[in-house]
Amino acid sequence: MPGFSLRRALITGGAWLVAFVFLAPYLQMLLTALKPGEELFRTPPTLLPERWEWSNFAEVWNVAPIGDHLRVTLIVATCSTLLVLLVAAPAAYYTARNAYRGRTAFLLLVLVTQMFAPTALVIGLYRQFVALDLVNTYAALILVNAAFNLAFSTWILTAAFAAVPRDLEDAGMTDGLGRIGVLVRITIPTALPGVVTAVIFTFITTWNEFVVALTLTNSPDRQPLTVGITAFIGQYEVQWQYLFAASLVAVLPVVVLFVFIERYLVTGLTAGSFR
């Protein structure tokens, strides 16, 4: 066949197969969320609902305070991301533009901190925030999430800022801009893909965080969505239709956000190098 390529067909087929493997669990979640309660434990189980309960997605907002949990998640994720950007950008800019002694060791140390799992530190964090009287507050969640994402963002931004030509910054300083002005008006806009990468990774990681939020919060009005949806898991019963409906509500904003910034994310991950 004209234009037919076996290699291209195999690659396309493999890509669709991988996509199906990743999307299959979400499809199962959607189908389960659309089942009425009496169909969930029917034997033998059926893949498709016999009666489509679209109302489950409306009822889940009343069965549990999903709106409050979503508000908390948005506040914590947004504030944590802004705090990380505020701290990581100057640190990364200084590291990228100054070949000081121990810079490589500093960057490796920053990367090593990513090896510490939140689960291993959660008891110490809880005791510290109890001493500071910050348990069950927005500040605790924001500070912890910002701290856990600061290292990776600094690493990404250092690579992105190092790829920005110095001539652009020199021209800006000739026109009267200071270091902060050069960073805000020239370096960050030029390295936008790297900045977007750091922002998105921080936002998504904070959005999906569970262990620290479960430990540091104990009231529904301070619990993010990842913790709030566990209300559908009881001691003797699990409301699977509401659990999966709430889970899809939690996933959807991140998916929509990723669709809009995907091109910046790929560019940011591949841009920059250390010299």
Side-chain angles (χ1 to χ4, degrees):
M1 294 177 58
F4 175 79
S5 172
L6 179 59
R7 180 173 179 272
R8 179 178 299 178
L10 290 175
I11 293 176
T12 302
W16 278 106
L17 179 60
V18 171
F20 175 77
V21 170
F22 278 98
L23 293 176
Y26 296 98
L27 178 60
Q28 180 64 54
M29 289 171 59
L30 176 62
L31 294 176
T32 303
L34 293 174
K35 289 182 178 180
E38 60 271 15
E39 287 189 27
L40 295 175
F41 303 99
R42 181 171 298 175
T43 304
T46 58
L47 178 62
L48 297 177
E50 294 183 9
R51 180 162 57 90
W52 298 79
E53 285 286 352
W54 295 96
S55 60
N56 286 342
F57 283 93
E59 293 175 1
V60 71
W61 297 87
N62 299 320
V63 176
I66 297 299
D68 292 337
H69 297 314
L70 186 60
R71 172 178 51 81
V72 173
T73 304
L74 285 170
I75 292 174
V76 172
T78 302
C79 292
S80 299
T81 302
L82 291 176
L83 181 58
V84 166
L85 187 61
L86 183 64
V87 176
Y93 180 71
Y94 182 86
T95 303
R97 285 292 178 254
N98 295 274
Y100 56 87
R101 180 177 298 179
R103 185 181 74 161
T104 302
F106 168 74
L107 290 173
L108 290 175
L109 180 63
V110 165
L111 199 60
V112 166
T113 60
Q114 293 298 105
M115 299 173 60
F116 296 99
T119 307
L121 306 174
V122 71
I123 296 178
L125 289 172
Y126 180 77
R127 296 187 62 178
Q128 287 183 349
F129 283 111
V130 167
L132 296 172
D133 195 25
L134 290 177
V135 173
N136 204 43
T137 63
Y138 286 120
L141 297 178
I142 292 170
L143 289 173
V144 171
N145 282 287
F148 279 129
N149 289 283
L150 184 60
F152 180 77
S153 296
T154 301
W155 181 275
I156 288 292
L157 290 177
T158 299
F161 292 163
V164 177
R166 289 179 178 268
D167 293 343
L168 294 177
E169 298 178 353
D170 293 340
M173 297 184 71
T174 302
D175 292 337
L177 292 177
R179 282 293 181 185
I180 300 298
V182 167
L183 174 63
V184 173
R185 300 181 63 178
I186 296 178
T187 308
I188 290 180
T190 304
L192 187 59
V195 175
V196 171
T197 301
V199 167
I200 291 304
F201 267 90
T202 301
F203 188 88
I204 292 178
T205 303
T206 305
W207 185 280
N208 293 329
E209 202 283 319
F210 173 76
V211 174
V212 172
L214 179 65
T215 305
L216 297 182
T217 58
N218 51 38
S219 61
D221 63 333
R222 287 295 185 272
Q223 291 177 333
L225 198 53
T226 52
V227 178
I229 61 178
T230 60
F232 299 114
I233 304 175
Q235 184 176 0
Y236 302 106
E237 180 185 10
V238 179
Q239 297 173 296
W240 292 106
Q241 71 276 33
Y242 297 135
L243 177 63
F244 284 160
S247 299
L248 290 172
V249 170
V251 169
L252 187 60
V254 176
V255 172
V256 173
L257 181 63
F258 185 84
V259 168
F260 283 103
I261 56 82
E262 182 268 340
R263 61 189 181 96
Y264 293 104
L265 187 63
V266 173
T267 305
L269 287 172
T270 57
S273 60
F274 297 112
R275 298 178 182 178

